[in-house]
Amino acid sequence: MIVKTLPPNSEPIQDDSRNGKNSRGGLDVIDVVPENDIQDLVVLSPRFLAARNDTKTVQPETLYDPVTIAGHYQKKPLQVLGRIFAVLRPTLSLAFGMWSDSKRGIVVKNDRRRAVQLRILLTQLGPAYIKIGQALSTRPDLVPPVYLEELTKLQDQLPPFANEIAYQFIEEELGAPPQEVYAELSPQPIAAASLGQVYKGKLKTGEEVAIKVQRPDLRERITIDLYILRNLAAWVQKKVKRVRSDLVGILDELGDRIFEEMDYIHEGENAERFFELYGHIKDVYVPKIYWEYTNRRVLTMEWINGTKLTQTEEITAQGIDARYLIEVGVQCSLRQLLEHGFFHADPHPGNLLATTDGKLAYLDFGMMSEIKPPQRYGLIEAIVHVVNRDFEGLAKDYVKLDFLSPDTDLTPIIPAFGRVFADAQGASVAELNIKSITDELSALMYEYPFRVPPYYALIIRSLVTLEGIAIFIDPNFKVLSEAYPYVSKRLLTDPAPQLRASLQDLLFKDNRFRWNRLENLLKNARNSQDYDFNLVLNQGIEFLSSERGAFIRDKLVDESINGLDALGKNVLHNFTYLLRERVGLTAVNETPAATFEQQQTLEHIKRILGILRETQGFDPVQFAPQIAQLLVNPGVQRLGQQVASRFTQKALAKIIRQLLTSE
């Protein structure tokens, strides 16, 4: 059954109940209507109540419940068998036809006829299989161009359902016929997707809107496929010993997301949350939700005039740089995955538009997911370790990310990582891509006791889909190359203990400070859009003056003293050389210059000062007042005292050593 409610944050639509029309004024639950024969799959959730702290409004939500679904379909074995045969028969027929073509010398990958058949097959099999096709449509590195072109049509060119059904749903969900709700409504849907179709309309207040209406009998078609696939996953997980991943958990994660996607109230909430978290990012646009015209099966949102990112010629003709918009999308995705954890799990080309004013608009917030802070920090650490070829650290990251159990022997896995990345040993960050990394790691996971946690599947789907669009626009685009400046910025500015520990591991090896790593971090971080030099300076000093920064502070003091010592030696060496060679005072002994190691430290310090001078936010005019403010900072004073004390100790030790040597 469907329990219809007053949409959140909305004003009631006043209708005349005496004329047989629904009245929503002052009512929370207004009607109950049967949708199909699986009424027990709709349950009430307290999530909306807790979110709004509102004890008066009861908000329904369709939740994915595999136990309830299994109980339902176990009573209907004939229906399940019928669905299995309905899927297998055309699938095997197409596979046999392709095999037969290849035997007759036909190049199947260039055969448009077979590509069309595949698209039609996926469309006929239903929403679950359409989503598989949508995912493949973003992978030009996996799918031949002819098939790619056909699968792209699955994003918004699916067969629509009848207007009469759509109009009925609008009236049932909004409490009034479409002509009373909207001033204008397109006579036919302008797009049809896997779960619904979209009409263009206009509100009586004049705003242009997109009205999304859900497909009929959607839940039943989805649940039977999920039930069959879940049983298949459980069988494979049990019988195939090489499969150690939680296939059932992965499928349940996907089921949760699809069921949430079928609830348009939930999608509207997702859109508003997405706007709150990422709407401030430069050139990112999130459409407005009109709650008074939204319910579980009908969503009304702001109409966006735009072009799909993969339509590069049309975008270029408008004077818009498609590659720049992909960079915007990558930066937004990084903040979704690594900063707030709330991410768009379905960024296919139909959901990303270039607006007429050159912004990147996100659409369709039905399939969203979340990643918890430990996993977010673990991903950042893993990226750092991959870039810097620290495979021991990478193996430990996989334990933190739940790919390996804590008691796993990492000894054979560390060199295995080295073999996986052997081809990339001499490569720069710009030459690595997510797809190649995930492919290599997938092979490794069969050899060692890895398990794939459920949250990982949607993250990879999101990243690989975005990278697929990027590759379509620019074959040389590398997401990891675009990501590393942001990761560097996070390492330098995020006060989280996990990232501070990662920074320490990155900068020190065998008790030696790795200046080249710090240079690399600073160079990359300054390319991040929101990198703030003053923030880095203040947070760096605060961290170094704290107990948590004691280890790095002590090492930096030693390295700074080495630099000062090298500078002093060079000055004295040049002065004595000048007295002997130019003035002729041969009685003056020439002081030795700095050692090679000291000279290297001095060169590193000079290069870092050069990087800081070229960093956005560095202003020599404002730097003097900033230095004055820093000097009165207790933490800076403690640092200064420590440097002076260490320098004095080292100078005294040097004098004593020289006296003993002379005696």
Side-chain angles (χ1 to χ4, degrees):
M1 64 176 65
I2 301 170
V3 184
K4 302 200 305 298
T5 64
L6 184 69
N9 302 328
S10 68
E11 296 294 328
I13 296 177
Q14 300 293 344
D15 295 319
D16 187 0
S17 58
R18 290 173 297 180
N19 294 330
K21 297 177 182 178
N22 293 323
S23 173
R24 297 167 58 187
L27 292 180
D28 295 324
V29 180
I30 62 167
D31 198 4
V32 176
V33 293
E35 185 183 42
N36 49 47
D37 64 339
I38 49 172
Q39 299 178 3
D40 54 342
L41 299 184
V42 180
V43 297
L44 294 177
S45 169
R47 183 178 59 80
F48 293 102
L49 296 176
R52 291 188 177 80
N53 194 24
D54 182 359
T55 58
K56 295 182 180 179
T57 303
V58 178
Q59 293 285 0
E61 181 183 19
T62 54
L63 297 177
Y64 172 67
D65 185 352
V67 176
T68 303
I69 291 173
H72 175 78
Y73 284 110
Q74 283 169 358
K75 301 173 185 176
K76 300 187 175 184
L78 294 179
Q79 184 180 352
V80 173
L81 283 174
R83 178 58 180 165
I84 291 173
F85 285 120
V87 172
L88 282 180
R89 187 171 60 252
T91 302
L92 293 177
S93 175
L94 178 62
F96 178 78
M98 289 181 170
W99 176 81
S100 177
D101 287 347
S102 64
K103 291 297 181 183
R104 291 187 287 119
I106 298 174
V107 182
V108 176
K109 68 177 184 178
N110 296 329
D111 190 348
R112 181 170 296 277
R113 180 174 55 92
R114 294 298 185 189
V116 171
Q117 288 178 352
L118 176 61
R119 173 178 58 79
I120 293 174
L121 171 63
L122 294 175
T123 302
Q124 291 172 342
L125 291 181
Y129 296 91
I130 290 171
K131 289 208 166 284
I132 294 173
Q134 288 175 345
L136 290 174
S137 72
T138 64
R139 298 308 311 183
D141 50 340
L142 295 179
V143 180
V146 172
Y147 287 78
L148 197 71
E149 184 179 342
E150 287 299 320
L151 292 179
T152 301
K153 297 177 181 178
L154 293 173
Q155 293 160 9
D156 53 13
Q157 298 182 36
L158 294 169
F161 58 92
N163 280 345
E164 291 75 17
I165 298 176
Y167 295 163
Q168 177 188 340
F169 282 5
I170 291 174
E171 182 169 1
E172 289 176 353
E173 295 296 306
L174 302 185
Q179 62 270 22
E180 294 184 17
V181 177
Y182 303 104
E184 294 180 12
L185 192 67
S186 59
Q188 297 297 329
I190 50 92
S194 55
L195 303 187
Q197 61 191 30
V198 179
Y199 295 85
K200 183 177 181 180
K202 182 180 288 188
L203 300 179
K204 295 186 183 296
T205 50
E207 298 98 324
E208 286 190 332
V209 292
I211 303 109
K212 183 158 69 170
V213 185
Q214 193 172 108
R215 287 184 178 274
D217 301 325
L218 183 61
R219 190 174 299 105
E220 184 175 20
R221 300 183 70 185
I222 289 283
T223 50
I224 192 168
D225 283 335
L226 288 175
Y227 170 73
I228 293 169
L229 292 172
R230 193 175 191 272
N231 282 329
L232 179 62
W235 183 85
V236 171
Q237 196 169 307
K238 182 179 179 180
K239 298 296 184 181
V240 182
K241 299 301 181 185
R242 292 181 66 86
V243 176
R244 289 176 291 270
S245 300
D246 184 6
L247 297 182
V248 173
I250 292 171
L251 196 67
D252 285 344
E253 178 78 10
L254 181 62
D256 283 336
R257 301 288 82 79
I258 292 178
F259 263 61
E260 288 177 355
E261 194 174 359
M262 288 190 288
D263 180 2
Y264 287 170
I265 290 178
H266 187 80
E267 179 174 345
E269 290 184 320
N270 285 342
E272 290 196 338
R273 185 180 176 193
F274 193 89
F275 172 77
E276 290 170 2
L277 293 176
Y278 315 114
H280 66 281
I281 297 175
K282 188 175 184 292
D283 292 329
V284 167
Y285 193 83
V286 182
K288 175 184 176 182
I289 303 296
Y290 293 91
W291 282 113
E292 58 269 41
Y293 310 107
T294 294
N295 211 331
R296 197 181 65 79
R297 292 184 296 173
V298 176
L299 174 68
T300 304
M301 67 192 304
E302 178 185 357
W303 177 265
I304 302 295
N305 290 307
T307 309
K308 287 198 294 186
L309 286 187
T310 48
Q311 295 176 317
T312 51
E313 292 183 3
E314 291 88 338
I315 292 176
T316 304
Q318 298 173 50
I320 299 171
D321 185 354
R323 195 186 192 284
Y324 167 72
L325 292 182
I326 276 294
E327 293 173 6
V328 172
V330 170
Q331 294 302 317
C332 186
S333 291
L334 290 171
R335 282 153 184 78
Q336 292 174 49
L337 292 170
L338 305 179
E339 193 165 325
H340 299 290
F342 182 66
F343 68 95
H344 199 300
D346 194 22
H348 65 71
N351 292 337
L352 296 174
L353 298 183
T355 66
T356 53
D357 57 351
K359 293 184 178 182
L360 177 66
Y362 280 80
L363 305 178
D364 195 348
F365 300 93
M367 185 170 284
M368 309 292 289
S369 190
E370 292 199 58
I371 175 171
K372 297 177 181 178
Q375 281 80 39
R376 299 205 294 266
Y377 292 129
L379 286 172
I380 292 175
E381 293 173 293
I383 292 173
V384 172
H385 290 142
V386 166
V387 170
N388 291 289
R389 315 293 192 260
D390 182 356
F391 303 123
E392 182 178 355
L394 185 61
K396 293 177 181 177
D397 293 335
Y398 270 76
V399 175
K400 295 178 187 176
L401 293 169
D402 295 329
F403 283 82
L404 295 167
S405 62
D407 57 350
T408 303
D409 180 13
L410 301 180
T411 306
I413 296 177
I414 294 170
F417 276 128
R419 291 192 296 273
V420 165
F421 293 101
D423 295 337
Q425 283 294 323
S428 65
V429 180
E431 295 172 302
L432 298 174
N433 65 63
I434 294 169
K435 181 64 175 58
S436 63
I437 291 173
T438 53
D439 285 350
E440 295 286 353
L441 290 177
S442 296
L444 182 67
M445 288 178 185
Y446 281 101
E447 301 178 27
Y448 296 95
F450 284 87
R451 59 192 181 195
V452 179
Y455 73 85
Y456 177 75
L458 286 177
I459 292 175
I460 291 302
R461 171 191 167 95
S462 177
L463 285 175
V464 171
T465 300
L466 184 64
E467 187 178 62
I469 300 172
I471 291 172
F472 184 92
I473 293 172
D474 180 1
N476 297 318
F477 194 99
K478 297 292 184 290
V479 170
L480 192 56
S481 176
E482 297 291 330
Y484 199 59
Y486 170 80
V487 172
S488 299
K489 189 245 345 179
R490 285 291 300 278
L491 281 176
L492 290 170
T493 60
D494 197 313
Q498 299 94 323
L499 295 190
R500 290 304 186 192
S502 182
L503 179 63
Q504 177 178 310
D505 293 340
L506 180 67
L507 296 180
F508 293 94
K509 185 176 184 180
D510 301 328
N511 245 11
R512 294 180 62 84
F513 190 81
R514 297 190 280 190
W515 286 98
N516 61 319
R517 293 284 174 86
L518 180 58
E519 286 182 42
N520 188 36
L521 278 178
L522 290 170
K523 283 180 181 177
N524 279 284
R526 71 183 181 186
N527 294 325
S528 183
Q529 290 180 356
D530 53 356
Y531 181 71
D532 188 332
F533 172 79
N534 295 321
L535 178 65
V536 174
L537 183 63
N538 293 329
Q539 287 190 346
I541 290 172
E542 180 183 348
F543 174 67
L544 290 174
S545 59
S546 68
E547 288 300 322
R548 292 179 293 116
F551 178 81
I552 294 182
R553 180 178 65 236
D554 292 343
K555 296 300 178 183
L556 278 178
V557 167
D558 289 341
E559 293 293 335
S560 300
I561 288 172
N562 284 336
L564 290 172
D565 192 23
L567 184 62
K569 281 185 175 181
N570 285 343
V571 170
L572 193 56
H573 169 74
N574 292 336
F575 181 67
T576 54
Y577 174 82
L578 182 65
L579 290 177
R580 284 177 59 85
E581 301 298 328
R582 300 294 175 86
V583 181
L585 297 177
T586 56
V588 177
N589 292 326
E590 185 176 334
T591 304
T595 64
F596 177 73
E597 183 178 352
Q598 289 175 325
Q599 189 64 38
Q600 274 192 322
T601 300
L602 185 60
E603 292 300 321
H604 282 303
I605 293 175
K606 288 179 180 177
R607 283 199 293 270
I608 286 174
L609 290 175
I611 294 170
L612 295 178
R613 281 197 301 269
E614 297 170 3
T615 300
Q616 183 179 0
F618 179 86
D619 187 350
V621 176
Q622 298 180 0
F623 197 60
Q626 289 173 342
I627 290 294
Q629 290 178 356
L630 289 173
L631 290 177
V632 299
N633 184 311
V636 175
Q637 292 176 354
R638 284 194 297 271
L639 279 176
Q641 291 169 2
Q642 189 172 5
V643 172
S645 175
R646 290 282 190 91
F647 191 77
T648 303
Q649 291 174 11
K650 195 164 186 176
L652 288 173
K654 182 178 180 180
I655 292 172
I656 294 171
R657 186 168 58 250
Q658 288 178 341
L659 287 173
L660 292 174
T661 303
S662 63
E663 290 178 1

